[in-house]
Amino acid sequence: MNDFRNSVEMPKDNSGVRLVAVSCPRCGASESKRLFEGEDYLHRLPGRFYVSECSACQLRFQNPRPAQEELAKVYPSEYTHHQSLGAGSGSLAAGAVLPGGSGPSAARQTLRRFVPPMIRRWRWVLVELWHDFLQIRAVPARIIQAGLDEHLRCQLGYSHLPRKGGGGRLVERLLRPYFRWRARCLLIPSFKHDGRLIDLGCANGGFLSQMAAKGWKDLRGIELVPAAAAAARQAGLNVDCDTIEHGLNSFPDAHFDVIVASMVLEHVVNPFEVVALVRSKLKADGTFLFSTVVRDTPDGALFGKYSVSYDYRRHMTFFAENDLHELLARHFRSIVHAHDNVTRDFTRPARWRIERREGGGVDRLFLVIEKLGLLRLLCTILAWMGKMPRLSFSCRGPVAEQ
């Protein structure tokens, strides 16, 4: 394995981004071992990227990595959520409440292909029954959404929002644990009149727009990529184009009631310093809501370098779940987390492995399960077991700096 030492500048990779060798962002050790390398499988930008492990504390991080002043270059123009806000962007739980998967027609095609020929005479019955199930499954969408809206009203302080009917009260009472989990995954804060909220790495401002629609008034955002920040400002949002570290330092200590960071910590060069900075900017009763990805889950064991935690070039740190708990325990008194049930964390790496002729029967099985409309159910079960890679944290009670 190759060793890397701090402050050694590397040549540019073949996409023109300058690379630097760095020390461990957690313990500062200068020596690390390269574990493996990969490509930008998601956006297919050129270059080879490296996963290294600290020789002292075993944290995994990208080394060498892009220089900090060039980080904005690693996000292509088509990067998710960096485009201008469009119709429907204010839907808080869009695509997040109901089971996913392909539609009834895809399920028909899949069953027609995979049902054994020996029961060909009855195959059409199975196909039609499954098609009818998928059609019926869409009926509760309005009821489930009404239940989530009611949960916000009665449990998270959004009582000022109008009640839209649809049986939300009864559904919320019957499925309260489900809605509590869903709200945590969506990083929905408890409402506070005249509260201050800032979204770190806010992209095009989609989450800020959703919060404005829910009644929040004092909203700010910080976004690194100029095009994304411009899209947010075009939507009328107060967003600074800056690094999170510099932008957050421009505010006084104990300033915010809520700080949100959705899929951001893994992108910053030193998440340990960022969390300490977040703690200092929160009020005594403030809340830090964030989501990230971890590598020590079944998808990581199954897909290895193709798993969601290794988004090469853009992810600077590759967390294990315990890395996060140890970090947060130093800064907050109350820590609650939930695993999300995002199906593409299985389908994307399966497709990438199949494209590169590295996939097998398991990869194809996940794609079949997706077409049958069952993958979201499987991912929900894994999430409730704590076995999905995406985690959302709610951290309260900032600990005073020692």
Side-chain angles (χ1 to χ4, degrees):
M1 293 186 179
N2 295 343
D3 288 343
F4 292 99
R5 295 182 181 274
N6 190 22
S7 301
V8 179
E9 186 165 323
M10 313 294 290
K12 292 184 177 181
D13 68 15
N14 59 8
S15 65
V17 175
R18 185 166 59 88
L19 303 177
V20 292
V22 295
S23 59
C24 173
R26 178 162 63 185
C27 72
S30 60
E31 294 187 3
S32 62
K33 296 179 289 187
R34 182 188 297 175
L35 298 182
F36 51 86
E37 62 185 71
E39 305 170 21
D40 183 353
Y41 304 113
L42 182 58
H43 292 287
R44 305 181 188 277
L45 297 178
R48 303 292 295 178
F49 313 103
Y50 307 98
V51 175
S52 297
E53 183 176 84
C54 176
S55 300
C57 72
Q58 286 71 58
L59 179 74
R60 293 187 185 182
F61 57 102
Q62 189 179 162
N63 189 29
R65 62 159 174 79
Q68 183 158 3
E69 62 272 17
E70 300 202 15
L71 287 180
K73 296 180 182 179
V74 307
Y75 299 95
S77 58
E78 67 273 15
Y79 192 72
T80 307
H81 302 312
H82 282 189
Q83 289 81 27
S84 297
L85 290 173
S89 61
S91 177
L92 183 61
V97 175
L98 292 179
S102 302
S105 60
R108 277 177 165 170
Q109 295 174 4
T110 303
L111 281 174
R112 285 169 179 158
R113 178 179 177 186
F114 289 100
V115 172
M118 68 180 62
I119 57 172
R120 188 178 302 276
R121 288 181 57 189
W122 298 101
R123 184 172 61 179
W124 68 271
V125 177
L126 297 176
V127 169
E128 293 305 321
L129 284 175
W130 190 253
H131 173 261
D132 291 342
F133 166 73
L134 292 179
Q135 294 282 24
I136 295 171
R137 191 184 61 169
V139 173
R142 293 186 299 273
I143 299 175
I144 296 295
Q145 185 62 58
L148 180 60
D149 292 341
E150 183 63 23
H151 186 78
L152 301 189
R153 284 178 46 82
C154 68
Q155 298 296 318
L156 295 181
Y158 293 86
S159 57
H160 56 280
L161 297 178
R163 183 174 280 121
K164 300 179 181 178
R169 277 180 165 179
L170 177 60
V171 172
E172 195 279 332
R173 290 175 183 172
L174 292 174
L175 300 178
R176 184 165 294 172
Y178 169 81
F179 292 119
R180 185 184 300 119
W181 165 71
R182 199 66 241 150
R184 285 174 181 166
C185 291
L186 294 171
L187 305 180
I188 305 175
S190 296
F191 184 75
K192 186 171 184 178
H193 184 69
D194 293 331
R196 294 181 181 137
L197 183 152
I198 187 169
D199 187 6
L200 308 180
C202 66
N204 61 10
F207 182 82
L208 291 174
S209 294
Q210 294 162 6
M211 291 299 100
K214 298 296 180 185
W216 288 83
K217 303 297 183 186
D218 194 342
L219 296 167
R220 299 293 298 265
I222 299 173
E223 171 54 42
L224 175 67
V225 179
R233 288 195 292 263
Q234 187 179 7
L237 300 168
N238 191 350
V239 171
D240 298 321
C241 185
D242 205 343
T243 64
I244 289 174
E245 298 87 341
H246 186 267
L248 202 51
N249 255 325
S250 66
F251 296 98
D253 288 350
H255 184 71
F256 291 103
D257 297 282
V258 178
I259 297 179
V260 179
S262 176
M263 293 295 160
V264 168
L265 278 190
E266 65 274 17
H267 292 257
V268 299
V269 296
N270 194 320
F272 303 90
E273 292 180 355
V274 167
V275 170
L277 183 59
V278 164
R279 177 205 60 195
S280 70
K281 302 303 176 182
L282 280 172
K283 296 179 181 179
D285 60 347
T287 302
F288 178 36
L289 300 172
F290 77 95
S291 56
T292 187
V293 288
V294 294
R295 56 180 171 79
D296 52 341
T297 47
D299 73 296
L302 178 62
F303 298 117
K305 67 180 182 179
Y306 293 99
S307 64
V308 64
S309 63
Y310 297 114
D311 183 7
Y312 298 101
R313 182 194 291 264
R314 286 167 291 275
H315 287 187
M316 301 295 122
T317 305
F318 312 109
F319 297 110
E321 185 171 343
N322 196 52
D323 295 332
L324 294 165
H325 287 289
E326 290 181 356
L327 166 62
L328 297 171
R330 295 197 296 268
H331 298 289
F332 298 94
R333 294 186 179 89
S334 173
I335 303 163
V336 179
H337 75 279
H339 291 254
D340 208 347
N341 61 341
V342 180
T343 58
R344 65 178 176 271
D345 293 342
F346 283 94
T347 56
R348 271 182 180 171
R351 288 190 177 95
W352 292 336
R353 296 209 314 175
I354 291 171
E355 288 175 2
R356 288 161 177 75
R357 301 182 184 278
E358 298 179 26
V362 173
D363 302 271
R364 292 177 175 84
L365 177 61
F366 279 117
L367 301 185
V368 170
I369 294 173
E370 180 197 28
K371 288 184 177 180
L372 292 174
L374 291 175
L375 187 56
R376 180 60 62 91
L377 175 61
L378 173 62
C379 289
T380 300
I381 293 172
L382 289 173
W384 282 49
M385 293 172 61
K387 301 298 183 182
M388 288 294 286
R390 295 179 192 250
L391 282 83
S392 296
F393 284 86
S394 175
C395 309
R396 293 184 172 89
V399 177
E401 188 174 1
Q402 302 296 322

